[in-house]
Amino acid sequence: MQYIENDMDDLFRKAAENYPLKANAKNWDDLTPVLVNATGASVSPNTGKRKWSLLALFFFLLTSAILMVIPVSNTNKININPVKNESIFDQNNASVEIVTDKDASLNSNKNVFPSTGSQINHSGNNWDHLQTDNVTENENSRISVLLKSKKKNKRKMNAYTSTKISVPAAADHDVTVLNEMDNKSKIPEIELTENNRQSEEVQSNDTELLLPEKEVVSEKQNTDSQEKKKNQGHKMYWGIAGGPQWNQVKSQGLNKAGISLGLIAGFQFTKKLSVETGVYYSKKYYYSDGKYFHMKSSDPSMPANMEIINLEGSSNIFEIPVRIKYDFVQNKKANLFITSGITSYIMSKESNNYFALANGTQMNMKAAYYNKTGYFLADANFSLGYEFITGPKTSIRIEPYLQIPLKGIGIGSMRVMTTGLHIGMTRSLSR
Amino acid sequence: MEKITAIISGCISKEHKFQKIVYEHYYGFALKIVFRYIYRYEKAVDVVNDGFVKLFRHFDRFIKGADEDNEKILMGYIKRIMINTAIDELRKGKMLPEIGGIPDYVWEITGKEQDADQRLLYKDLIILIKELPAHYRIIFNMYIIDGYNHFEIADLLKISVGTSKSGLSRARAILQKNIKKTEQESICSI
């Protein structure tokens, strides 16, 4: 029976080698476009440097685009009319000079009520419009009043604007400034008449305004500083982030994209400085020449005289980063930030497809390793990100990053460099 | 054909001129391998082209040996890639059986060759292999004709070694039965 089987096997081997099959269907022209796309997209060691150059260019372009889009403004100063003596309204030959400064009001001690009758009527909620009425040219008087302007925004921040109004007005005109009232701190109507030259009296229904001017200013100062402290206060936040990543060993070229997904926890020390940590689950794919795979730590089940020619591998890793985040450009709608830190790994699974040489024969071997292994301070991470502030507590961030290996990981102790993109959302835990 | 080492170097550098030479020279060799695994001729042609794309894409992983050995190494490399591609294709089709017979136009038999009878016999034997169920066909081809051992077969097909061995015996039994049936039919026809 064995002889018959052997004969049969030999017969089939001869048949396989010599059977008459037509092979005229070959068409190189059909293959060329597919080949160009495939090999054009494929990665060879020579294109590794090109890929990194492209990534660097991408980082640069992204930074430039963001800087061009975000209006960089670090001051809260509002200049309605920065040029002195420039008239806003010119009614009846009256000129009004207005300079506003949010913070100036708190320090302003120059609330001088007109000694002459200059009348300034203000109507409506629009503080920018000041109408002059019945004003003559002959008299100059400076009126400094505290006006409250209500900012209509989601954060409900109240800011005080001091308005120094220089009104060349005739003596016999009244000055009336109508102010908008707020429930919390009312600024009363201020009426100044001709007969009230020393009219520093303020008629008001609010007891707060019966206080002398300095006390009012200081009280407002305290409220404002408390509010500032509240806004700048330490706060914790959490978030989620994820995105694709690409890995390579020793600049040998990128393999297919992996993925990284995880949770962020952060603590904001100052307005611009935070510290973040978190846990990410990432799947890394990489390729390497065998010379970067160190056989000493390899599986003992592999043949001793086996030489790894190259390998394709993947790893499942839990990453624990600790990093500092610095917002170097801040805006009410968006921030630009950088981060820098260190990441530790816990590798839960590694699987490698080896192309090896053993006893003069090339062979493919696959192996998977399930021992959980920790790598403390495995890489240094850097990122540059853009954060959209979508609400009082929430923001969305886009963050390209780079991880530079500090030590080898995996069964072959290979140094895997990672670059990727995180898109995430964070939410503040503060009240 | 130009020196094989130069051709291999050209393919590693992804030069189309050398890739074309390899494609045209080894196309028949690759098609004969794949046609033993894939039932339909047109599908086998597609698989061969896919295999060549993979070959040229990963040619940088080819390890050159001595000049006189390079052709053998290359043929072994091509064979391995073609077999893997064919198995992937069969997996995509979930190893479903195919029917319909093999059309005559795929065979290169004019009847005027000196060994025409021999070629006809070989053709019939290959048809018998192709008529095996996909799992048995793969195992038989890999073990008997392509020289894989049961461990390698088990690893590639994600089966146990026992399954590979039993698959091979089952394939042999079916082939023996079909050979006898064919012989009886040919005797009867005479």
Side-chain angles (χ1 to χ4, degrees):
Chain A
M1 183 67 175
Q2 187 64 38
Y3 293 123
I4 296 168
E5 272 188 9
N6 288 343
D7 286 342
M8 195 174 84
D9 292 348
D10 284 338
L11 191 60
F12 276 109
R13 283 191 202 105
K14 279 183 187 169
E17 206 173 323
N18 298 305
Y19 78 96
L21 183 69
K22 267 189 188 161
N24 55 1
K26 63 185 171 212
N27 192 344
W28 175 249
D29 293 332
D30 284 345
L31 197 67
T32 310
V34 179
L35 204 60
V36 166
N37 286 339
T39 55
S42 69
V43 178
S44 72
N46 293 331
T47 61
K49 284 181 185 172
R50 215 179 301 155
K51 286 273 182 180
W52 280 112
S53 308
L54 283 169
L55 274 167
L57 183 63
F58 165 72
F59 264 93
F60 172 73
L61 287 171
L62 179 70
T63 315
S64 308
I66 289 166
L67 283 171
M68 281 166 65
V69 166
I70 296 178
V72 179
S73 171
N74 291 324
T75 64
N76 290 325
K77 196 169 185 177
I78 296 174
N79 285 322
I80 293 178
N81 243 348
V83 177
K84 200 175 177 182
N85 295 327
E86 183 180 326
S87 69
I88 295 180
F89 285 101
D90 199 355
Q91 272 188 340
N92 301 324
N93 297 321
S95 67
V96 177
E97 174 197 327
I98 299 176
V99 174
T100 62
D101 187 335
K102 270 193 198 172
D103 297 326
S105 64
L106 305 174
N107 300 318
S108 172
N109 288 320
K110 295 180 184 176
N111 294 330
V112 177
F113 296 97
S115 56
T116 58
S118 307
Q119 182 168 359
I120 300 172
N121 292 320
H122 178 276
S123 60
N125 294 331
N126 190 344
W127 296 105
D128 294 337
H129 291 284
L130 288 172
Q131 296 176 339
T132 58
D133 194 14
N134 297 328
V135 171
T136 62
E137 299 173 340
N138 298 327
E139 188 174 356
N140 286 309
S141 58
R142 295 183 71 84
I143 302 169
S144 173
V145 294
L146 280 174
L147 301 174
K148 181 182 174 191
S149 67
K150 202 185 247 183
K151 273 196 175 181
K152 293 180 184 177
N153 60 28
K154 291 183 182 179
R155 297 190 180 202
K156 298 182 184 175
M157 286 176 69
N158 293 325
Y160 288 91
T161 306
S162 78
T163 304
K164 292 181 184 176
I165 304 170
S166 172
V167 180
D172 53 353
H173 286 278
D174 293 335
V175 176
T176 309
V177 177
L178 301 175
N179 303 307
E180 186 168 309
M181 299 295 187
D182 181 273
N183 288 332
K184 287 183 182 179
S185 55
K186 294 184 181 178
I187 298 174
E189 286 184 36
I190 303 168
E191 274 189 8
L192 299 162
T193 63
E194 183 184 273
N195 297 327
N196 238 348
R197 278 189 171 243
Q198 316 225 331
S199 53
E200 301 178 39
E201 246 177 61
V202 173
Q203 292 185 3
S204 168
N205 295 326
D206 195 328
T207 52
E208 187 180 328
L209 290 167
L210 294 177
L211 293 169
E213 198 178 279
K214 285 183 184 177
E215 288 183 25
V216 171
V217 169
S218 62
E219 196 162 317
K220 300 256 184 302
Q221 211 167 2
N222 289 337
T223 314
D224 214 30
S225 63
Q226 278 171 15
E227 205 155 326
K228 265 191 181 177
K229 275 186 184 174
K230 188 181 165 184
N231 292 333
Q232 291 174 358
H234 310 309
K235 53 183 179 181
M236 291 186 70
Y237 58 91
W238 72 277
I240 54 170
Q245 61 172 225
W246 293 268
N247 304 278
Q248 66 170 358
V249 178
K250 292 277 186 183
S251 302
Q252 293 180 83
L254 302 174
N255 208 332
K256 64 178 178 177
I259 192 161
S260 170
L261 193 65
L263 297 170
I264 305 164
F267 184 75
Q268 187 175 3
F269 286 102
T270 65
K271 199 176 174 186
K272 294 196 174 191
L273 201 63
S274 313
V275 67
E276 288 187 351
T277 184
V279 175
Y280 288 88
Y281 175 77
S282 65
K283 180 93 177 176
K284 295 184 188 290
Y285 294 96
Y286 42 80
Y287 158 80
S288 177
D289 195 280
K291 64 183 178 187
Y292 301 115
F293 184 88
H294 302 289
M295 290 280 291
K296 283 179 188 175
S297 55
S298 65
D299 194 306
S301 65
M302 291 164 99
N305 57 352
M306 189 176 80
E307 181 192 338
I308 306 282
I309 297 167
N310 55 55
L311 67 113
E312 269 191 42
S314 68
S315 306
N316 296 7
I317 295 176
F318 289 96
E319 297 178 19
I320 302 160
V322 176
R323 56 190 198 170
I324 302 289
K325 175 175 172 273
Y326 180 70
D327 297 339
F328 60 92
V329 172
Q330 280 186 328
N331 197 290
K332 58 181 177 179
K333 287 188 178 176
N335 297 331
L336 199 59
F337 64 89
I338 54 168
T339 72
S340 175
I342 299 282
T343 307
S344 299
Y345 290 164
I346 300 173
M347 185 179 277
S348 61
K349 181 187 171 189
E350 180 184 356
S351 60
N352 294 329
N353 187 5
Y354 303 103
F355 188 62
L357 194 65
N359 300 322
T361 308
Q362 291 177 346
M363 61 174 70
N364 265 337
M365 282 184 61
K366 284 185 185 176
Y369 313 93
Y370 295 93
N371 293 337
K372 281 188 176 53
T373 315
Y375 300 92
F376 186 59
L377 305 179
D379 71 44
N381 59 69
F382 306 93
S383 75
L384 169 71
Y386 184 69
E387 197 170 22
F388 301 91
I389 296 165
T390 53
K393 292 186 181 183
T394 55
S395 62
I396 292 173
R397 55 166 74 169
I398 297 171
E399 187 184 356
Y401 63 90
L402 180 66
Q403 290 175 310
I404 297 171
L406 299 175
K407 55 171 75 166
I409 61 168
I411 202 78
S413 199
M414 293 189 295
R415 289 174 175 247
V416 180
M417 187 187 296
T418 303
T419 184
L421 180 70
H422 274 152
I423 298 172
M425 191 185 79
T426 56
R427 185 172 171 84
S428 169
L429 292 171
S430 61
R431 292 181 185 178
Chain B
M1 194 166 142
E2 289 182 44
K3 205 171 175 185
I4 190 70
T5 312
I7 293 170
I8 290 169
S9 301
C11 289
I12 291 172
S13 311
K14 291 184 171 50
E15 293 179 43
H16 282 328
K17 169 188 160 190
F18 295 105
Q19 289 174 338
K20 186 178 178 183
I21 293 172
V22 167
Y23 177 76
E24 290 180 344
H25 192 76
Y26 293 105
Y27 181 87
F29 166 72
L31 186 61
K32 275 188 169 177
I33 295 168
V34 171
F35 196 57
R36 286 188 277 111
Y37 290 84
I38 303 293
Y39 191 82
R40 296 242 165 268
Y41 182 78
E42 292 76 19
K43 185 66 87 179
V45 167
D46 291 340
V47 169
V48 165
N49 285 339
D50 289 343
F52 273 109
V53 169
K54 278 188 196 174
L55 170 73
F56 295 130
R57 193 178 179 185
H58 297 294
F59 222 108
D60 49 346
R61 300 180 189 179
F62 181 82
I63 307 296
K64 286 186 271 186
D67 279 352
E68 56 270 21
D69 296 332
N70 273 337
E71 184 158 15
K72 280 184 194 167
I73 298 171
L74 177 61
M75 288 175 78
Y77 194 60
I78 292 171
K79 188 179 187 181
R80 197 169 285 271
I81 288 175
M82 292 301 159
I83 291 170
N84 289 342
T85 311
I87 292 171
D88 288 342
E89 184 60 34
L90 286 168
R91 279 214 191 98
K92 274 187 209 171
K94 298 183 182 174
M95 306 281 193
L96 293 173
E98 293 193 72
I99 54 171
I102 309 297
D104 290 336
Y105 65 81
V106 310
W107 306 112
E108 199 175 48
I109 300 172
T110 58
K112 295 175 184 174
E113 300 93 349
Q114 281 182 342
D115 56 349
D117 289 338
Q118 195 78 8
R119 289 154 73 87
L120 278 168
L121 172 65
Y122 292 155
K123 175 198 117 184
D124 291 337
L125 289 172
I126 293 301
I127 291 173
L128 287 177
I129 294 175
K130 289 171 72 63
E131 287 174 350
L132 286 169
H135 265 117
Y136 300 152
R137 190 192 321 150
I138 293 172
I139 292 170
F140 184 84
N141 271 313
M142 289 180 80
Y143 188 84
I144 299 295
I145 298 170
D146 295 315
Y148 285 76
N149 60 42
H150 284 296
F151 295 95
E152 289 167 328
I153 294 170
D155 187 48
L156 252 168
L157 299 181
K158 308 278 188 275
I159 56 176
S160 66
V161 171
T163 307
S164 174
K165 287 180 180 174
S166 64
L168 178 66
S169 344
R170 192 81 190 99
R172 275 190 171 130
I174 295 172
L175 284 170
Q176 276 176 355
K177 181 182 158 187
N178 287 341
I179 287 172
K180 278 180 187 169
K181 189 178 165 186
T182 310
E183 280 175 355
Q184 280 170 3
E185 282 173 0
S186 61
I187 289 167
C188 288
S189 66
I190 293 168

